[in-house]
Amino acid sequence: MNNAVTGFSKLSKEEKINWIANEYFSTPTEAIALLKNYWNSDEKTQQLHDEFIENTITNFYIPLGVAPNFLINGKYSAIPMAIEESSVVAAASKTAKFWSTRGGFKATVINTEKIGQVHFIYNGDVSKLNLFFAQTKAVFFTETESITKNMQKRGGGILDIVLNDKTDLLPNYYQLHATFETKDSMGANFINSCLEQFAKTLKEEASIYELFSETEKDIQVVMSILSNYVPNCIVRAEVSCPIEELKEKHISNPQEFAEKFVQAVQIAEVEPYRAVTHNKGIMNGIDAVVLATGNDFRAVEAGIHAYASRKGKYSSLSHAKIENGIFTFWLEIPLALGTVGGLTSLHPLVKFSLEMLKKPSAKELMQIVAVAGLAQNFAALRSLTTTGIQEGHMKMHLNNIINQFEANDKERVLIRKHFKHHVVSHSAVVDFIENLRK
C-alpha cells in the first residue's frame, strides 16, 4: 500500500471492506470472510451497530459475563461485566460471595457535581473583567434557559459559574468554570451545549461593555468543553468485619492476613510503581461494568487516575485499616455515569445489562461500579498476600493457551487433568501439548 485513499468515508460498507482486504491482506477472500463472520445475522441489529461509529466494517466481540451474589446496601445484585481478561469475573464473583456472609458492601454517593469550562484569552485590566463578570453572571443563566429547561424539570441544571484567573499559568488566560447537576444522564451533550452558549454570551456581552477598551472587548474564546475530571462527583464503597471473621480456606490466620493486607495497601499508597498496577486491578472491575452499561470508560479512567494524583503524587485509590479489632477496606472515586441517553437506550446488551441491574438511577449505578472496583481489588490483594497472583490467574488463562493451539476434545481433557496438580505457565502448557502430539 503506497497510496492514500480518497473518499473512503463515502464508500459503501462492502466497498470499504473490499478495498481494505485487497490493499492490506495476502488472502483477501479470507479477510472478507472473517469480517462477515462477525456480522449480526439480524440486519436491523447490524445496522444499529454499524451506525454507532464511522467507517464500520464489522463487530469486535468482547465477552459479557456476570458476577452474582453482590450484597450492596442490603440488596443482592448480579453485576454484568464486559471484559476480555481472564480471571476478572471469577475474582469478582468469589469476592462477592465472600463478603455476602460478612455484611456485604456498603456504598454511598457523596456528591454528583460535574464540571465544564470556557477557556478564553483576555488582554486588559483584571479588575474590570471581575466587575464585568459580576454584572453579567445572571445573563449566562438566562441565555441558557432553553437548554436547561428540561434538565431543571428533572431536578438538574447549572449549579454555579465562577471566573478563574489563570494568568499565573499562561499569559492572559482565564476561564469560566461551571458546575452542573445532570441527574440520571452522564450529561456531556447538555454540559457542552451550555458551555458553547456561555462562550457566545461572553463575547457578545463583552463587545458592548462600556468599561472595556476596544482591546478588552475583543475576548478570544479558545474552547468550550466539559471536564472528565470530576473530583466533586464522588462515591464511596467499603467492606468491614471483625478480623476473626476473615478466616477461610486460604486465610487460616486472619490477624496475620489483615495486617499483611493493610501493609500491601500502604505500599500502594506510597509507591507509584505499585500504585499503578494496584489501581489497574481496581479498574478491571470498574471498566467492565462501565462498558457493559454503555458508559464512557475512557472518561472514567482519565478522571479516576487524575484523582489518584490529586495530592501531587500518584497513589492508591483504595485504603485499609485495622481499628478495635475491625478490618475495614474502602475506596472513594470520582464517577460521572448515566443511565439515560447515549447507548443506554440504543445498544440491546446495554439495555439488557441495565435491566439486570433493576434499571438503576445514575447514583445507584455509581455505587454498583465502585463496589465492583473494590471487589476486584480485594480479590487481587487477597491472592497477592496469600497464594500469589499467578496460581489462580494462570489456571483461568489455561483456556486461552489451549485455544491458541487448537487442542481437540481429548487433548483438552488431558491438559486440564495434568494442570490440576502442576503449575500453569505458557511454556509448560506448550511443552505438554507438544509431548502429547509426538
Side-chain angles (χ1 to χ4, degrees), residues 413-428:
V413 171
L414 293 171
I415 293 166
R416 291 196 177 98
K417 184 177 179 180
H418 176 80
F419 284 102
K420 272 187 177 180
H421 309 290
H422 293 81
V423 175
V424 177
S425 70
H426 189 276
S427 59

mmCIF file of all heavy atoms in Angstrom, residues 413-428:
data_model
loop_
_atom_site.group_PDB
_atom_site.id
_atom_site.type_symbol
_atom_site.label_atom_id
_atom_site.label_comp_id
_atom_site.label_asym_id
_atom_site.label_seq_id
_atom_site.Cartn_x
_atom_site.Cartn_y
_atom_site.Cartn_z
ATOM 1 N N VAL A 413 -9.060 -32.577 27.748
ATOM 2 C CA VAL A 413 -9.271 -33.337 28.987
ATOM 3 C C VAL A 413 -7.938 -33.656 29.649
ATOM 4 O O VAL A 413 -7.759 -33.483 30.866
ATOM 5 C CB VAL A 413 -10.057 -34.628 28.690
ATOM 6 C CG1 VAL A 413 -10.096 -35.522 29.926
ATOM 7 C CG2 VAL A 413 -11.476 -34.290 28.235
ATOM 8 N N LEU A 414 -6.986 -34.124 28.861
ATOM 9 C CA LEU A 414 -5.677 -34.499 29.403
ATOM 10 C C LEU A 414 -4.907 -33.288 29.928
ATOM 11 O O LEU A 414 -4.241 -33.369 30.967
ATOM 12 C CB LEU A 414 -4.855 -35.212 28.307
ATOM 13 C CG LEU A 414 -5.392 -36.589 27.874
ATOM 14 C CD1 LEU A 414 -4.631 -37.090 26.657
ATOM 15 C CD2 LEU A 414 -5.272 -37.588 29.029
ATOM 16 N N ILE A 415 -5.000 -32.174 29.201
ATOM 17 C CA ILE A 415 -4.297 -30.957 29.618
ATOM 18 C C ILE A 415 -4.841 -30.463 30.959
ATOM 19 O O ILE A 415 -4.089 -30.153 31.887
ATOM 20 C CB ILE A 415 -4.431 -29.850 28.544
ATOM 21 C CG1 ILE A 415 -3.678 -30.250 27.271
ATOM 22 C CG2 ILE A 415 -3.889 -28.519 29.074
ATOM 23 C CD1 ILE A 415 -4.027 -29.398 26.060
ATOM 24 N N ARG A 416 -6.170 -30.372 31.059
ATOM 25 C CA ARG A 416 -6.774 -29.879 32.301
ATOM 26 C C ARG A 416 -6.485 -30.811 33.477
ATOM 27 O O ARG A 416 -6.251 -30.358 34.594
ATOM 28 C CB ARG A 416 -8.280 -29.693 32.114
ATOM 29 C CG ARG A 416 -8.639 -28.546 31.184
ATOM 30 C CD ARG A 416 -10.106 -28.145 31.318
ATOM 31 N NE ARG A 416 -10.414 -27.015 30.471
ATOM 32 C CZ ARG A 416 -10.986 -27.101 29.272
ATOM 33 N NH1 ARG A 416 -11.319 -28.290 28.784
ATOM 34 N NH2 ARG A 416 -11.234 -26.029 28.563
ATOM 35 N N LYS A 417 -6.502 -32.112 33.217
ATOM 36 C CA LYS A 417 -6.207 -33.088 34.268
ATOM 37 C C LYS A 417 -4.774 -32.924 34.770
ATOM 38 O O LYS A 417 -4.511 -32.929 35.983
ATOM 39 C CB LYS A 417 -6.417 -34.508 33.728
ATOM 40 C CG LYS A 417 -6.220 -35.596 34.783
ATOM 41 C CD LYS A 417 -6.514 -36.967 34.182
ATOM 42 C CE LYS A 417 -6.292 -38.065 35.233
ATOM 43 N NZ LYS A 417 -6.564 -39.419 34.667
ATOM 44 N N HIS A 418 -3.853 -32.734 33.836
ATOM 45 C CA HIS A 418 -2.446 -32.578 34.208
ATOM 46 C C HIS A 418 -2.209 -31.313 35.033
ATOM 47 O O HIS A 418 -1.530 -31.346 36.068
ATOM 48 C CB HIS A 418 -1.586 -32.534 32.942
ATOM 49 C CG HIS A 418 -0.125 -32.280 33.211
ATOM 50 N ND1 HIS A 418 0.743 -33.258 33.626
ATOM 51 C CD2 HIS A 418 0.613 -31.118 33.144
ATOM 52 C CE1 HIS A 418 1.954 -32.743 33.799
ATOM 53 N NE2 HIS A 418 1.897 -31.448 33.503
ATOM 54 N N PHE A 419 -2.815 -30.203 34.610
ATOM 55 C CA PHE A 419 -2.528 -28.928 35.263
ATOM 56 C C PHE A 419 -3.389 -28.655 36.500
ATOM 57 O O PHE A 419 -3.304 -27.578 37.084
ATOM 58 C CB PHE A 419 -2.617 -27.788 34.250
ATOM 59 C CG PHE A 419 -1.419 -27.740 33.337
ATOM 60 C CD1 PHE A 419 -1.497 -28.235 32.047
ATOM 61 C CD2 PHE A 419 -0.208 -27.254 33.805
ATOM 62 C CE1 PHE A 419 -0.389 -28.218 31.220
ATOM 63 C CE2 PHE A 419 0.912 -27.228 32.981
ATOM 64 C CZ PHE A 419 0.832 -27.723 31.683
ATOM 65 N N LYS A 420 -4.190 -29.638 36.892
ATOM 66 C CA LYS A 420 -4.835 -29.550 38.200
ATOM 67 C C LYS A 420 -3.796 -29.648 39.313
ATOM 68 O O LYS A 420 -3.985 -29.127 40.409
ATOM 69 C CB LYS A 420 -5.863 -30.680 38.376
ATOM 70 C CG LYS A 420 -7.249 -30.348 37.865
ATOM 71 C CD LYS A 420 -8.234 -31.443 38.235
ATOM 72 C CE LYS A 420 -9.639 -31.075 37.785
ATOM 73 N NZ LYS A 420 -10.615 -32.129 38.144
ATOM 74 N N HIS A 421 -2.686 -30.342 38.995
ATOM 75 C CA HIS A 421 -1.664 -30.614 40.008
ATOM 76 C C HIS A 421 -0.292 -30.073 39.616
ATOM 77 O O HIS A 421 0.703 -30.386 40.256
ATOM 78 C CB HIS A 421 -1.570 -32.129 40.263
ATOM 79 C CG HIS A 421 -2.904 -32.767 40.546
ATOM 80 N ND1 HIS A 421 -3.595 -32.548 41.713
ATOM 81 C CD2 HIS A 421 -3.681 -33.587 39.780
ATOM 82 C CE1 HIS A 421 -4.729 -33.220 41.684
ATOM 83 N NE2 HIS A 421 -4.812 -33.862 40.523
ATOM 84 N N HIS A 422 -0.242 -29.272 38.555
ATOM 85 C CA HIS A 422 1.035 -28.687 38.131
ATOM 86 C C HIS A 422 0.869 -27.187 37.888
ATOM 87 O O HIS A 422 -0.216 -26.714 37.562
ATOM 88 C CB HIS A 422 1.526 -29.360 36.843
ATOM 89 C CG HIS A 422 1.894 -30.793 37.023
ATOM 90 N ND1 HIS A 422 0.955 -31.813 37.040
ATOM 91 C CD2 HIS A 422 3.105 -31.392 37.202
ATOM 92 C CE1 HIS A 422 1.564 -32.967 37.215
ATOM 93 N NE2 HIS A 422 2.872 -32.743 37.328
ATOM 94 N N VAL A 423 1.971 -26.459 38.037
ATOM 95 C CA VAL A 423 1.956 -25.015 37.842
ATOM 96 C C VAL A 423 1.706 -24.698 36.377
ATOM 97 O O VAL A 423 2.355 -25.257 35.485
ATOM 98 C CB VAL A 423 3.290 -24.379 38.300
ATOM 99 C CG1 VAL A 423 3.315 -22.884 37.980
ATOM 100 C CG2 VAL A 423 3.496 -24.598 39.793
ATOM 101 N N VAL A 424 0.746 -23.791 36.138
ATOM 102 C CA VAL A 424 0.424 -23.378 34.769
ATOM 103 C C VAL A 424 1.348 -22.242 34.342
ATOM 104 O O VAL A 424 1.437 -21.213 35.015
ATOM 105 C CB VAL A 424 -1.044 -22.913 34.659
ATOM 106 C CG1 VAL A 424 -1.331 -22.427 33.240
ATOM 107 C CG2 VAL A 424 -1.994 -24.022 35.056
ATOM 108 N N SER A 425 2.023 -22.442 33.243
ATOM 109 C CA SER A 425 2.745 -21.350 32.573
ATOM 110 C C SER A 425 2.610 -21.604 31.080
ATOM 111 O O SER A 425 2.318 -22.734 30.651
ATOM 112 C CB SER A 425 4.219 -21.327 32.977
ATOM 113 O OG SER A 425 4.907 -22.444 32.424
ATOM 114 N N HIS A 426 2.825 -20.578 30.303
ATOM 115 C CA HIS A 426 2.660 -20.736 28.854
ATOM 116 C C HIS A 426 3.606 -21.805 28.324
ATOM 117 O O HIS A 426 3.208 -22.690 27.558
ATOM 118 C CB HIS A 426 2.909 -19.396 28.156
ATOM 119 C CG HIS A 426 2.547 -19.408 26.695
ATOM 120 N ND1 HIS A 426 3.411 -19.861 25.718
ATOM 121 C CD2 HIS A 426 1.405 -19.048 26.046
ATOM 122 C CE1 HIS A 426 2.837 -19.766 24.531
ATOM 123 N NE2 HIS A 426 1.609 -19.281 24.701
ATOM 124 N N SER A 427 4.858 -21.753 28.748
ATOM 125 C CA SER A 427 5.848 -22.710 28.240
ATOM 126 C C SER A 427 5.526 -24.126 28.693
ATOM 127 O O SER A 427 5.687 -25.083 27.922
ATOM 128 C CB SER A 427 7.253 -22.316 28.697
ATOM 129 O OG SER A 427 7.330 -22.271 30.115
ATOM 130 N N ALA A 428 5.043 -24.272 29.947
ATOM 131 C CA ALA A 428 4.712 -25.611 30.446
ATOM 132 C C ALA A 428 3.557 -26.218 29.664
ATOM 133 O O ALA A 428 3.568 -27.417 29.339
ATOM 134 C CB ALA A 428 4.367 -25.537 31.933
#
